[in-house]
Every structure is written in C-alpha cells, then in structure tokens.
Amino acid sequence: MEIAYIILSVLLAGSLLLLLDLPVVGGSILASGAGERNGVALFAPFLLLAGILVPCLSPETGEPLAAGLTMPQCGAGALPVGIATAVSAIIVGRFSRFPAVPYAFVASIAGLSLACGTPLSLPVALPYILSWVVAPVICALLAAGIYGLCSAFLRRGRTHMAILEGKVLCASSVVSLLLLFAVAFNNSVLFTFLPSGRGWLTAVLAAGCPLAIWPILRSKATVYKYSVADNDLDINSLSILSLMLAMVLSFGLFSSGLPGKIGLAATPLPAGTLYLASLFGISVVRERALADGEELLKGSIAAVVSPVLAFMVAYCLGRILGGDIFSTLIVLGIVLLLGVITYYRHWQDRLAMQRQAVLAREQQVYSTQKSLSALEVRAEMTERDLRNKLDEKRKELVDFAVGVSDQKEFMEKIYDDLSGVRAMEDGEGKDDAMDSLLGALRERMYFTREMNDFYARSEVLNEDFNMRLKSMFPNLTEGERKLANLLRQGFSSKYIASLMNITPKSVEINRSRLRAKLGLQRSDNLIKFIKSI
C-alpha cells in the first residue's frame, strides 16, 4: 500500500513539474534557436533521463538535498505531500504562471513531519528558507553579469553579425544540453525524500512516473512552451543565452554542497522563479524591461505563498490522519477556499469570454454594416456609371440622328442645285455654279465637324494616356499627339491619312518625326512603345 501512496505522490508532484517547470526550460531553448538543431533534439531525452536517475542511484550524489529532512512514516506516508503540493500549485497558479512547485514539495515534507510529531528545528528550516530567497537573487546577478560581460566583449570586437549569431547559436546548443541535465538533476532529488530512499525502486519511480504521465501532459506543456518562446522571449539571442547560462549555474550551485558552507542549503529550485529572476537581471543591464512588472511581482509572491500554503495543507492532512477534528475543519476550509477560487476564476474566465464574444459580435455587426455601406456605395456608383453610359449612348444616338439629318439636308440641297445647273445653258454662269457645287462638296469631304467630334471623344476615352504623353514628352505638337492617339487605337497609315486629310506619304513622314521626338531607335517598335506609355 505504501508503494501506491508513493506512486500517487510522485504522479501529483511530477506532473506539476512537467507541466509548469519543464516548458519554461523548453521555451528558452526553443527561443534561442537551439531547439531546432538535430543534436539537441537527439540528446535532450537522454540528458533528462540521466539527470533524473543519477541522484536516485548514487548514495552520495544529491545527499546535501536530503540533509535534515526525511519523509515521515505516518498514515498514508508520502500521499499528503503530493496532495499538499498539488493544492498549493493549483491555488497559486490561479494568479501566477510560475508557482514554485519544488519549494512547495519541500515545505509539505516539513509540514507533514511536524504533524507526525517530528520536531522541526530552526537550524534545519532556516537554511532552506534563506536559500529560496537567495537563489533567485544569485540567478539575477549571474544573468546580469554574463550579459554585461558578453556585451562588453562584443562591442570591442568587429565580428560580422552573421558569424556572431552562428557562434551564439553554437554556444546556446551546448548550454541547452547543460540546462536540461541541470534542471532534471536538481529537481529529481525530490524523489530521494521518499520512504523508499535511493536505489532501483526510487529510480523506477523517478523515471517511470514522468514517462507514464508525459503523453497526457504533452499537448498542454507544448502550448505553454511555445507561449514562453514566442511571447515572453521575443528578445535577442545573447539575452536568451545569458538567461540559460545563469539558470544552469544556479541549478548546479544549489545541487552541490557549496551553499552549506555559507549557511544555506542545497535545495531543488523552480525553473519559473529562476527564469523571472534572470529576465529581471538582464533588464537592469539593458535598461529595458524584458518582463512585465506585474508578472515579476506575482512570481515573487508565488515563491513565498507556495511553500507556506503547502506547509499548512500537509500539516493539516497529517493531523487528520492522526484523528484531529480541528485540522480536518482547516483542510475542509482550504478545500472550500480552493473551490471558491477555482469557481471565481472560472466565472471570471466565462465573463471574459462572454465579453469577447459580445465584442466579436459587435465587431462582426460593424464589419457587416461597413460591408453593406460599401456595397451600397458601389451599387450607387455602378448605377451612376450605368446612367452616364446610357446618357452617353442616347447622346450618341441623337448625334447620329442629327448627322443623318444634316447629311440628308445637304444631299437634298446638292441634288436641287445640280438639277438647277443641269437646266442652265452652257456659259460662264453654268461654270460658276458648277465650281460652287464642287467647292461645297470638297469642303464637306473634309468632315471637319465629325473629325473634331471624333478627336474630342478620343481625348475623353484616352485621357490618362494623353496626360502621361504630355508629361513625358511636352515638346510634341497637337498633330503629333493626334497621330500617337490614332496609332495607339490601331489605325493603319491609310486610315490615318484619310482621317487627318493628308497623304499616306505624309503619314510616314510624321511617324518618322514622332519616333525622333520619342527618342526611339530604328530597331524599336513605335506602336508597342506608345501602348506601353
């Protein structure tokens, strides 16, 4: 039965580490660019597994982390520790993305030990509390120092940006692998607190339980990882490298016995807390905020509240196992508080979703109204264009009718005049009348009015072309612009000669002059050039 309790406790605590801490590390690696390298992707699982197994299999490795604290042998054993850790992480996680799960785990062991009658001495507890405060400060200082030194070194050098980015990427790949091992090694010693101690059983639990629950948590952890990489770490690669290296050194330092020499304790550290501390340290050096101030404040509060709340819950659960009714009421109160907070957050989320839905509907209505207005304007413009075209067609029809009428009147007049000349006797008067008729016919053959109307319509239809032609070649004469218009509309030299009342030879001469003014060579096509304007 004890093994079942141990497994449940490991599942509760381990799932929280996989869901909350590991994505922070994975997001940092992904943002650095190292996550896309085949070497990192290949060795990452093996380094994580090695970091978990080494402390569990070696009697010496990780011993400082268990100094002064052992899992109490009472009631349900390790189960209250897992429950207290989960309750703390869930409650704190409602207002901060980075609940300090390792702090809560260690504090819940202390709370359960106190409930089971094991006295908790200040010399044992104080080093842990101080370490939890000092570790983020050290990590922030390391991140600031590393970034400052690297920036100063790079400012002195003259390395090309592409080469520099390549070197930073290679360094990030190495540091990424070290970070994966360091975070796994530092947090896996949590399993050494279990009643099974160290050995193959602990190793199986330490490695098997995370592997068993990883497929369930993978989708959520992946989303969280990409959120960290894409949203939080939209900064330069040198800052991300400094952040990861500071976290590696912090995890390594507090996994050794060095802190014990200055009155601290080697302790498991939450990756989220170190992550925020590193961002703060780099922000100070860069004089630019890389993390939201509210996020930093919430993360700091979470690092304090998580262990306090876990200690209280574990202590109350231990007292319940001992038959303490008062502690039972306290735990029920905590559970009720958890339920109220969860319901409140759920209610707030629903209200936010409803507001977003209302806003989306209003936006949709606005977009629809805007689209309808645009359609109405387009329809009105189309109707106006149709009216204009209809009026133009009517005008053309009227002009055609007027033209037919004028032609008929002219022909009738010529017919009457010819009949009169025919009736006249030969002589000077008949010749003068015939000359007058011939002059009227020749004047009519020029089609002056019709040609003026044709050029006017052509100007309107080709207004853009004429404007561009005038702006590009202002030295062209009116006749040359008319010739360019006729050529653009596809008229042959024969028809152009007829329309302009000149000979085809004159058309060719005018075309040569036009080519010269347009700056064309003999090999250039005049019509293609005109159509390209």
Side-chain angles (χ1 to χ4, degrees):
M1 193 65 181
E2 181 183 352
I3 295 299
Y5 291 147
I6 292 173
I7 292 175
L8 288 174
S9 180
V10 171
L11 288 174
L12 287 170
S15 61
L16 292 170
L17 286 173
L18 290 175
L19 191 59
L20 299 174
D21 271 20
L22 195 59
V24 174
V25 176
S28 303
I29 295 172
L30 195 64
S32 70
E36 299 178 0
R37 308 201 97 183
N38 294 330
V40 175
L42 179 64
F43 289 106
F46 300 102
L47 287 171
L48 283 171
L49 189 60
I52 292 174
L53 294 179
V54 167
C56 299
L57 292 175
S58 174
E60 295 81 13
T61 306
E63 187 64 35
L65 289 156
L69 284 177
T70 55
M71 187 69 67
Q73 300 288 339
C74 65
L79 183 58
V81 173
I83 295 175
T85 304
V87 170
S88 172
I90 292 172
I91 293 178
V92 176
R94 301 313 294 178
F95 68 87
S96 174
R97 292 192 301 153
F98 305 103
V101 177
Y103 292 175
F105 189 88
V106 175
S108 63
I109 292 176
L112 184 60
S113 298
L114 185 62
C116 293
T118 303
L120 186 63
S121 62
L122 185 62
V124 173
L126 187 60
Y128 281 95
I129 297 172
L130 291 176
S131 296
W132 295 343
V133 175
V134 172
V137 176
I138 291 177
C139 189
L141 293 174
L142 285 172
I146 293 169
Y147 182 81
L149 289 174
C150 292
S151 299
F153 177 76
L154 293 176
R155 280 195 295 268
R156 292 181 180 179
R158 296 183 178 179
T159 309
H160 191 274
M161 184 62 69
I163 298 175
L164 176 63
E165 285 295 325
K167 292 182 178 179
V168 171
L169 180 59
C170 291
S172 298
S173 301
V174 176
V175 174
S176 297
L177 296 175
L178 293 175
L179 179 59
L180 288 170
F181 179 82
V183 69
F185 181 87
N186 180 261
N187 283 283
S188 65
V189 294
L190 297 175
F191 299 104
T192 64
F193 286 110
L194 298 177
S196 59
R198 293 182 178 83
W200 286 106
L201 178 58
T202 303
V204 170
L205 290 174
C209 290
L211 290 174
I213 59 179
W214 176 243
I216 303 173
L217 305 175
R218 181 176 181 179
S219 59
K220 275 194 173 183
T222 302
V223 172
Y224 190 11
K225 176 179 71 175
Y226 278 96
S227 175
V228 170
D230 297 336
N231 301 325
D232 300 343
L233 291 179
D234 187 15
I235 53 181
N236 61 41
S237 55
L238 183 60
S239 298
I240 301 174
L241 175 61
S242 303
L243 178 145
M244 292 194 301
L245 189 55
M247 291 175 66
V248 169
L249 295 175
S250 300
F251 280 124
L253 176 63
F254 284 88
S255 298
S256 67
L258 293 177
K261 296 181 180 180
I262 56 173
L264 301 177
T267 179
L269 300 174
T273 304
L274 297 186
Y275 166 81
L276 289 177
S278 300
L279 284 179
F280 176 75
I282 298 171
S283 300
V284 173
V285 178
R286 292 187 60 178
E287 297 181 351
R288 174 194 166 194
L290 303 181
D292 185 62
E294 184 180 355
E295 187 86 84
L296 291 172
L297 179 61
K298 289 181 177 180
S300 302
I301 295 174
V304 175
V305 174
S306 293
V308 172
L309 186 57
F311 179 87
M312 293 171 56
V313 174
Y315 177 80
C316 293
L317 287 173
R319 299 296 294 174
I320 289 174
L321 296 174
D324 189 340
I325 301 300
F326 180 72
S327 297
T328 303
L329 294 176
I330 293 178
V331 172
L332 289 176
I334 293 174
V335 172
L336 180 61
L337 176 63
L338 175 61
V340 170
I341 293 175
T342 304
Y343 175 76
Y344 175 76
R345 293 289 300 186
H346 180 67
W347 179 60
Q348 288 289 331
D349 292 342
R350 286 189 63 183
L351 286 179
M353 290 178 63
Q354 289 175 0
R355 285 194 292 269
Q356 289 179 357
V358 171
L359 184 63
R361 283 197 294 269
E362 291 177 352
Q363 185 68 29
Q364 187 176 5
V365 170
Y366 173 75
S367 301
T368 304
Q369 291 176 346
K370 189 175 179 181
S371 300
L372 288 174
S373 299
L375 287 173
E376 289 176 359
V377 171
R378 192 177 302 170
E380 186 177 349
M381 292 179 63
T382 303
E383 184 180 357
R384 189 182 305 160
D385 291 341
L386 290 174
R387 279 205 203 101
N388 292 337
K389 288 182 180 179
L390 183 60
D391 292 340
E392 186 178 344
K393 294 296 181 183
R394 286 173 179 170
K395 187 176 181 303
E396 289 179 359
L397 185 61
V398 171
D399 291 343
F400 178 75
V402 171
V404 171
S405 177
D406 288 346
Q407 293 288 349
K408 183 179 179 183
E409 290 179 1
F410 177 76
M411 292 300 178
E412 288 177 350
K413 183 176 180 305
I414 292 296
Y415 181 80
D416 292 339
D417 291 344
L418 280 174
S419 299
V421 171
R422 184 179 180 182
M424 293 175 61
E425 295 181 357
D426 292 338
E428 187 176 348
K430 187 174 183 179
D431 292 338
D432 292 340
M434 185 63 69
D435 291 338
S436 176
L437 282 173
L438 290 174
L441 284 172
R442 180 165 294 280
E443 182 180 354
R444 191 70 176 184
M445 285 172 59
Y446 288 142
F447 293 97
T448 305
R449 190 188 69 182
E450 288 80 359
M451 288 304 302
N452 289 336
D453 184 60
F454 170 78
Y455 287 126
R457 291 176 185 274
S458 179
E459 286 280 343
V460 173
L461 293 175
N462 300 280
E463 183 178 2
D464 294 340
F465 168 74
N466 290 317
M467 290 178 63
R468 291 193 296 270
L469 188 65
K470 286 181 181 179
S471 63
M472 294 172 64
F473 305 99
N475 60 335
L476 296 180
T477 64
E478 186 67 26
E480 288 166 343
R481 281 197 292 271
K482 287 181 180 180
L483 176 60
N485 258 300
L486 294 173
L487 291 171
R488 188 172 186 271
Q489 296 176 63
F491 289 103
S492 65
S493 296
K494 177 181 177 182
Y495 283 106
I496 292 173
S498 176
L499 290 171
M500 298 184 70
N501 291 317
I502 58 177
T503 63
K505 182 67 175 176
S506 299
V507 173
E508 295 300 324
I509 294 173
N510 290 339
R511 285 179 62 145
S512 299
R513 290 174 180 170
L514 180 60
R515 289 176 62 90
K517 286 191 175 183
L518 295 180
L520 300 180
Q521 303 296 327
R522 291 181 60 87
S523 59
D524 297 327
N525 189 296
L526 175 62
I527 296 176
K528 284 185 179 180
F529 178 78
I530 291 175
K531 288 184 177 182
S532 67
I533 297 175

